[in-house]
Amino acid sequence: MQAPGNPDETIFDKILAGQIPAAIVHEDDHVLAFKDIQPQAKVHVLVIPKLRATSLHDLKDRPVAQIGAFMAGVARVAEKLGLAQGGYRVVLNTGPDAGQTVFYVHAHILGGEPLGRFGA
Ligand code: 5GP
């Protein structure tokens, strides 16, 4: 974890450290999941790995087990949210062109209703 006051510290570092509140829906050894503050679907939850990375791109050289634990965590959270049967969309905005605004890697889980075709 980064030191308090670190200029690179993001809002998600603070949520993970319990320094600011969030509507937490799941926590285990590998991931923390909480509701997005501006939901874009009936269900909109963000999943972050507990081991910090800036973006998906930053994960490319990490141990496969670490990346796998993050991805399995995303699926476990979706199941816990009751989305396994109906399905769900996972979005990982990576870098400025993708619209990433919080530079702590996070997966958006969107679902709970038909989402329409991606990009339409
Ligand atoms: P990005 O655009 O980086 O992919 O997504 C960042 C997401 O974080 C946005 O959907 C935004 O609504 C959400 N977000 C920003 N600040 C907070 C916050 O303080 N709490 C929560 N729960 N979500 C936040």
Side-chain angles (χ1 to χ4, degrees):
M1 190 186 309
Q2 297 179 325
N6 185 323
D8 294 332
E9 193 174 52
T10 70
I11 198 92
F12 295 170
D13 289 281
K14 291 178 181 165
I15 288 173
L16 182 59
Q19 292 167 353
I20 64 165
I24 292 170
V25 300
H26 176 81
E27 181 167 15
D28 62 31
D29 288 347
H30 303 289
V31 297
L32 180 73
F34 47 92
K35 292 183 183 177
D36 194 292
I37 206 165
Q38 285 189 297
Q40 305 296 315
K42 192 171 172 192
V43 176
H44 187 173
V45 163
L46 303 172
V47 185
I48 63 171
K50 287 194 168 176
L51 290 175
R52 193 184 198 292
T54 300
S55 71
L56 175 67
H57 203 68
D58 189 28
L59 288 177
K60 70 186 188 310
D61 300 319
R62 301 288 180 94
V64 167
Q66 186 181 331
I67 301 165
F70 178 36
M71 287 293 104
V74 171
R76 273 201 307 277
V77 170
E79 185 159 89
K80 189 169 180 176
L81 294 168
L83 302 177
Q85 193 175 351
Y88 53 95
R89 180 170 293 150
V90 176
V91 175
L92 286 133
N93 291 324
T94 304
D97 279 0
Q100 184 177 4
T101 57
V102 179
F103 289 88
Y104 186 127
V105 66
H106 53 280
H108 297 252
I109 297 178
L110 301 147
E113 60 183 335
L115 296 173
R117 217 171 112 74
F118 178 72

PDB file of all heavy atoms in Angstrom, residues 11-12 15 20 22 34-38 44 46 93 99-102 106 108, ligand 1:
ATOM      1  N   ILE A  11      -8.264   7.357  -5.445  1.00  0.00           N
ATOM      2  CA  ILE A  11      -9.444   7.186  -4.605  1.00  0.00           C
ATOM      3  C   ILE A  11      -9.638   5.702  -4.252  1.00  0.00           C
ATOM      4  O   ILE A  11     -10.104   5.372  -3.163  1.00  0.00           O
ATOM      5  CB  ILE A  11     -10.675   7.791  -5.327  1.00  0.00           C
ATOM      6  CG1 ILE A  11     -11.817   8.045  -4.372  1.00  0.00           C
ATOM      7  CG2 ILE A  11     -11.128   6.966  -6.488  1.00  0.00           C
ATOM      8  CD1 ILE A  11     -11.799   9.417  -3.810  1.00  0.00           C
ATOM      9  N   PHE A  12      -9.227   4.802  -5.152  1.00  0.00           N
ATOM     10  CA  PHE A  12      -9.402   3.373  -4.874  1.00  0.00           C
ATOM     11  C   PHE A  12      -8.375   2.870  -3.852  1.00  0.00           C
ATOM     12  O   PHE A  12      -8.678   1.957  -3.074  1.00  0.00           O
ATOM     13  CB  PHE A  12      -9.362   2.547  -6.168  1.00  0.00           C
ATOM     14  CG  PHE A  12     -10.503   2.832  -7.111  1.00  0.00           C
ATOM     15  CD1 PHE A  12     -10.497   2.323  -8.402  1.00  0.00           C
ATOM     16  CD2 PHE A  12     -11.590   3.603  -6.723  1.00  0.00           C
ATOM     17  CE1 PHE A  12     -11.546   2.583  -9.278  1.00  0.00           C
ATOM     18  CE2 PHE A  12     -12.641   3.882  -7.587  1.00  0.00           C
ATOM     19  CZ  PHE A  12     -12.609   3.367  -8.873  1.00  0.00           C
ATOM     20  N   ILE A  15     -10.112   3.755  -0.710  1.00  0.00           N
ATOM     21  CA  ILE A  15     -11.220   2.837  -0.398  1.00  0.00           C
ATOM     22  C   ILE A  15     -10.648   1.527   0.151  1.00  0.00           C
ATOM     23  O   ILE A  15     -11.124   1.002   1.162  1.00  0.00           O
ATOM     24  CB  ILE A  15     -12.103   2.610  -1.643  1.00  0.00           C
ATOM     25  CG1 ILE A  15     -12.920   3.885  -1.940  1.00  0.00           C
ATOM     26  CG2 ILE A  15     -13.025   1.393  -1.459  1.00  0.00           C
ATOM     27  CD1 ILE A  15     -13.699   3.854  -3.241  1.00  0.00           C
ATOM     28  N   ILE A  20     -11.810   6.061   3.003  1.00  0.00           N
ATOM     29  CA  ILE A  20     -13.067   6.685   2.586  1.00  0.00           C
ATOM     30  C   ILE A  20     -14.087   5.576   2.367  1.00  0.00           C
ATOM     31  O   ILE A  20     -13.728   4.441   2.036  1.00  0.00           O
ATOM     32  CB  ILE A  20     -12.917   7.573   1.328  1.00  0.00           C
ATOM     33  CG1 ILE A  20     -12.515   6.746   0.121  1.00  0.00           C
ATOM     34  CG2 ILE A  20     -11.952   8.713   1.540  1.00  0.00           C
ATOM     35  CD1 ILE A  20     -12.721   7.507  -1.167  1.00  0.00           C
ATOM     36  N   ALA A  22     -17.193   3.173   0.994  1.00  0.00           N
ATOM     37  CA  ALA A  22     -17.709   2.652  -0.275  1.00  0.00           C
ATOM     38  C   ALA A  22     -18.721   1.569   0.075  1.00  0.00           C
ATOM     39  O   ALA A  22     -18.671   0.985   1.165  1.00  0.00           O
ATOM     40  CB  ALA A  22     -16.575   2.081  -1.120  1.00  0.00           C
ATOM     41  N   PHE A  34     -16.862  -3.039  -4.943  1.00  0.00           N
ATOM     42  CA  PHE A  34     -17.771  -2.041  -4.380  1.00  0.00           C
ATOM     43  C   PHE A  34     -18.592  -1.418  -5.501  1.00  0.00           C
ATOM     44  O   PHE A  34     -18.204  -1.428  -6.676  1.00  0.00           O
ATOM     45  CB  PHE A  34     -16.984  -0.953  -3.610  1.00  0.00           C
ATOM     46  CG  PHE A  34     -15.797  -0.403  -4.348  1.00  0.00           C
ATOM     47  CD1 PHE A  34     -15.923   0.722  -5.142  1.00  0.00           C
ATOM     48  CD2 PHE A  34     -14.554  -1.018  -4.270  1.00  0.00           C
ATOM     49  CE1 PHE A  34     -14.841   1.238  -5.827  1.00  0.00           C
ATOM     50  CE2 PHE A  34     -13.453  -0.517  -4.960  1.00  0.00           C
ATOM     51  CZ  PHE A  34     -13.596   0.613  -5.737  1.00  0.00           C
ATOM     52  N   LYS A  35     -19.752  -0.865  -5.111  1.00  0.00           N
ATOM     53  CA  LYS A  35     -20.662  -0.282  -6.099  1.00  0.00           C
ATOM     54  C   LYS A  35     -20.062   0.985  -6.685  1.00  0.00           C
ATOM     55  O   LYS A  35     -19.477   1.805  -5.951  1.00  0.00           O
ATOM     56  CB  LYS A  35     -22.011   0.039  -5.457  1.00  0.00           C
ATOM     57  CG  LYS A  35     -22.783  -1.197  -5.055  1.00  0.00           C
ATOM     58  CD  LYS A  35     -24.140  -0.809  -4.484  1.00  0.00           C
ATOM     59  CE  LYS A  35     -24.874  -2.061  -4.010  1.00  0.00           C
ATOM     60  NZ  LYS A  35     -26.170  -1.746  -3.381  1.00  0.00           N
ATOM     61  N   ASP A  36     -20.222   1.154  -7.999  1.00  0.00           N
ATOM     62  CA  ASP A  36     -19.793   2.390  -8.644  1.00  0.00           C
ATOM     63  C   ASP A  36     -20.684   3.532  -8.164  1.00  0.00           C
ATOM     64  O   ASP A  36     -21.898   3.390  -8.031  1.00  0.00           O
ATOM     65  CB  ASP A  36     -19.871   2.252 -10.171  1.00  0.00           C
ATOM     66  CG  ASP A  36     -19.115   3.361 -10.874  1.00  0.00           C
ATOM     67  OD1 ASP A  36     -19.539   4.538 -10.810  1.00  0.00           O
ATOM     68  OD2 ASP A  36     -18.080   3.047 -11.496  1.00  0.00           O
ATOM     69  N   ILE A  37     -20.069   4.673  -7.903  1.00  0.00           N
ATOM     70  CA  ILE A  37     -20.786   5.816  -7.354  1.00  0.00           C
ATOM     71  C   ILE A  37     -21.732   6.448  -8.395  1.00  0.00           C
ATOM     72  O   ILE A  37     -22.691   7.132  -8.030  1.00  0.00           O
ATOM     73  CB  ILE A  37     -19.762   6.845  -6.809  1.00  0.00           C
ATOM     74  CG1 ILE A  37     -20.361   7.684  -5.716  1.00  0.00           C
ATOM     75  CG2 ILE A  37     -19.166   7.702  -7.901  1.00  0.00           C
ATOM     76  CD1 ILE A  37     -19.322   8.450  -4.890  1.00  0.00           C
ATOM     77  N   GLN A  38     -21.457   6.191  -9.681  1.00  0.00           N
ATOM     78  CA  GLN A  38     -22.321   6.703 -10.765  1.00  0.00           C
ATOM     79  C   GLN A  38     -22.699   5.534 -11.670  1.00  0.00           C
ATOM     80  O   GLN A  38     -22.135   5.365 -12.759  1.00  0.00           O
ATOM     81  CB  GLN A  38     -21.587   7.762 -11.589  1.00  0.00           C
ATOM     82  CG  GLN A  38     -21.458   9.102 -10.880  1.00  0.00           C
ATOM     83  CD  GLN A  38     -20.934  10.172 -11.814  1.00  0.00           C
ATOM     84  OE1 GLN A  38     -19.805  10.072 -12.299  1.00  0.00           O
ATOM     85  NE2 GLN A  38     -21.727  11.196 -12.061  1.00  0.00           N
ATOM     86  N   HIS A  44     -23.877  -2.160 -11.205  1.00  0.00           N
ATOM     87  CA  HIS A  44     -22.574  -1.636 -11.663  1.00  0.00           C
ATOM     88  C   HIS A  44     -21.617  -1.662 -10.475  1.00  0.00           C
ATOM     89  O   HIS A  44     -21.721  -0.834  -9.557  1.00  0.00           O
ATOM     90  CB  HIS A  44     -22.734  -0.207 -12.193  1.00  0.00           C
ATOM     91  CG  HIS A  44     -21.473   0.340 -12.829  1.00  0.00           C
ATOM     92  ND1 HIS A  44     -21.452   1.553 -13.493  1.00  0.00           N
ATOM     93  CD2 HIS A  44     -20.211  -0.150 -12.914  1.00  0.00           C
ATOM     94  CE1 HIS A  44     -20.221   1.781 -13.944  1.00  0.00           C
ATOM     95  NE2 HIS A  44     -19.449   0.765 -13.601  1.00  0.00           N
ATOM     96  N   LEU A  46     -17.468  -2.262  -9.206  1.00  0.00           N
ATOM     97  CA  LEU A  46     -16.051  -2.203  -9.564  1.00  0.00           C
ATOM     98  C   LEU A  46     -15.286  -3.225  -8.744  1.00  0.00           C
ATOM     99  O   LEU A  46     -15.542  -3.368  -7.532  1.00  0.00           O
ATOM    100  CB  LEU A  46     -15.497  -0.805  -9.266  1.00  0.00           C
ATOM    101  CG  LEU A  46     -16.226   0.350  -9.965  1.00  0.00           C
ATOM    102  CD1 LEU A  46     -15.722   1.692  -9.433  1.00  0.00           C
ATOM    103  CD2 LEU A  46     -16.058   0.272 -11.468  1.00  0.00           C
ATOM    104  N   ASN A  93     -11.294  -0.175 -18.705  1.00  0.00           N
ATOM    105  CA  ASN A  93     -10.786   0.997 -19.404  1.00  0.00           C
ATOM    106  C   ASN A  93      -9.302   1.124 -19.094  1.00  0.00           C
ATOM    107  O   ASN A  93      -8.901   1.117 -17.923  1.00  0.00           O
ATOM    108  CB  ASN A  93     -11.531   2.253 -18.953  1.00  0.00           C
ATOM    109  CG  ASN A  93     -12.972   2.257 -19.417  1.00  0.00           C
ATOM    110  OD1 ASN A  93     -13.282   1.787 -20.510  1.00  0.00           O
ATOM    111  ND2 ASN A  93     -13.869   2.774 -18.592  1.00  0.00           N
ATOM    112  N   GLY A  99     -10.668   6.355 -21.716  1.00  0.00           N
ATOM    113  CA  GLY A  99     -11.480   7.063 -20.733  1.00  0.00           C
ATOM    114  C   GLY A  99     -11.198   6.656 -19.303  1.00  0.00           C
ATOM    115  O   GLY A  99     -12.004   6.936 -18.415  1.00  0.00           O
ATOM    116  N   GLN A 100     -10.060   5.982 -19.065  1.00  0.00           N
ATOM    117  CA  GLN A 100      -9.728   5.628 -17.676  1.00  0.00           C
ATOM    118  C   GLN A 100      -9.517   6.905 -16.871  1.00  0.00           C
ATOM    119  O   GLN A 100      -8.772   7.795 -17.283  1.00  0.00           O
ATOM    120  CB  GLN A 100      -8.459   4.764 -17.623  1.00  0.00           C
ATOM    121  CG  GLN A 100      -8.135   4.285 -16.207  1.00  0.00           C
ATOM    122  CD  GLN A 100      -6.921   3.356 -16.141  1.00  0.00           C
ATOM    123  OE1 GLN A 100      -6.264   3.109 -17.156  1.00  0.00           O
ATOM    124  NE2 GLN A 100      -6.617   2.860 -14.955  1.00  0.00           N
ATOM    125  N   THR A 101     -10.221   6.997 -15.761  1.00  0.00           N
ATOM    126  CA  THR A 101     -10.126   8.207 -14.925  1.00  0.00           C
ATOM    127  C   THR A 101      -9.481   7.922 -13.576  1.00  0.00           C
ATOM    128  O   THR A 101      -8.973   8.841 -12.938  1.00  0.00           O
ATOM    129  CB  THR A 101     -11.519   8.818 -14.688  1.00  0.00           C
ATOM    130  OG1 THR A 101     -12.366   7.835 -14.082  1.00  0.00           O
ATOM    131  CG2 THR A 101     -12.129   9.302 -15.997  1.00  0.00           C
ATOM    132  N   VAL A 102      -9.538   6.668 -13.138  1.00  0.00           N
ATOM    133  CA  VAL A 102      -8.915   6.301 -11.861  1.00  0.00           C
ATOM    134  C   VAL A 102      -7.785   5.319 -12.185  1.00  0.00           C
ATOM    135  O   VAL A 102      -8.041   4.227 -12.730  1.00  0.00           O
ATOM    136  CB  VAL A 102      -9.931   5.661 -10.889  1.00  0.00           C
ATOM    137  CG1 VAL A 102      -9.229   5.279  -9.583  1.00  0.00           C
ATOM    138  CG2 VAL A 102     -11.094   6.605 -10.615  1.00  0.00           C
ATOM    139  N   HIS A 106      -9.103  -1.506 -12.426  1.00  0.00           N
ATOM    140  CA  HIS A 106     -10.424  -1.908 -11.927  1.00  0.00           C
ATOM    141  C   HIS A 106     -11.244  -2.470 -13.073  1.00  0.00           C
ATOM    142  O   HIS A 106     -11.175  -1.970 -14.197  1.00  0.00           O
ATOM    143  CB  HIS A 106     -11.161  -0.734 -11.272  1.00  0.00           C
ATOM    144  CG  HIS A 106     -11.257   0.478 -12.142  1.00  0.00           C
ATOM    145  ND1 HIS A 106     -10.204   1.367 -12.286  1.00  0.00           N
ATOM    146  CD2 HIS A 106     -12.253   0.947 -12.924  1.00  0.00           C
ATOM    147  CE1 HIS A 106     -10.560   2.338 -13.108  1.00  0.00           C
ATOM    148  NE2 HIS A 106     -11.802   2.104 -13.534  1.00  0.00           N
ATOM    149  N   HIS A 108     -15.015  -3.029 -14.386  1.00  0.00           N
ATOM    150  CA  HIS A 108     -16.424  -2.690 -14.204  1.00  0.00           C
ATOM    151  C   HIS A 108     -17.236  -3.945 -14.495  1.00  0.00           C
ATOM    152  O   HIS A 108     -17.061  -4.554 -15.551  1.00  0.00           O
ATOM    153  CB  HIS A 108     -16.875  -1.637 -15.222  1.00  0.00           C
ATOM    154  CG  HIS A 108     -16.201  -0.305 -15.127  1.00  0.00           C
ATOM    155  ND1 HIS A 108     -16.843   0.806 -14.646  1.00  0.00           N
ATOM    156  CD2 HIS A 108     -14.952   0.102 -15.485  1.00  0.00           C
ATOM    157  CE1 HIS A 108     -16.019   1.859 -14.712  1.00  0.00           C
ATOM    158  NE2 HIS A 108     -14.871   1.449 -15.216  1.00  0.00           N
TER     159      HIS A 108
HETATM  160  P1  5GP B   1     -12.850   4.535 -15.217  1.00  0.00           P
HETATM  161  O1  5GP B   1     -13.439   5.684 -15.992  1.00  0.00           O
HETATM  162  O2  5GP B   1     -11.496   4.890 -14.652  1.00  0.00           O
HETATM  163  O3  5GP B   1     -12.853   3.248 -15.977  1.00  0.00           O
HETATM  164  O4  5GP B   1     -13.857   4.274 -14.031  1.00  0.00           O
HETATM  165  C1  5GP B   1     -13.780   4.903 -12.786  1.00  0.00           C
HETATM  166  C2  5GP B   1     -15.103   4.669 -12.118  1.00  0.00           C
HETATM  167  O5  5GP B   1     -14.956   4.985 -10.764  1.00  0.00           O
HETATM  168  C3  5GP B   1     -16.241   5.549 -12.665  1.00  0.00           C
HETATM  169  O6  5GP B   1     -17.276   4.717 -13.163  1.00  0.00           O
HETATM  170  C4  5GP B   1     -16.673   6.365 -11.451  1.00  0.00           C
HETATM  171  O7  5GP B   1     -18.069   6.541 -11.366  1.00  0.00           O
HETATM  172  C5  5GP B   1     -16.140   5.547 -10.287  1.00  0.00           C
HETATM  173  N1  5GP B   1     -15.791   6.326  -9.123  1.00  0.00           N
HETATM  174  C6  5GP B   1     -15.069   7.490  -9.094  1.00  0.00           C
HETATM  175  N2  5GP B   1     -14.903   7.913  -7.828  1.00  0.00           N
HETATM  176  C7  5GP B   1     -15.530   6.994  -7.044  1.00  0.00           C
HETATM  177  C8  5GP B   1     -15.703   6.900  -5.622  1.00  0.00           C
HETATM  178  O8  5GP B   1     -15.252   7.717  -4.837  1.00  0.00           O
HETATM  179  N3  5GP B   1     -16.411   5.831  -5.169  1.00  0.00           N
HETATM  180  C9  5GP B   1     -16.927   4.893  -6.016  1.00  0.00           C
HETATM  181  N4  5GP B   1     -17.606   3.878  -5.460  1.00  0.00           N
HETATM  182  N5  5GP B   1     -16.781   4.949  -7.345  1.00  0.00           N
HETATM  183  C10 5GP B   1     -16.090   6.000  -7.858  1.00  0.00           C
END
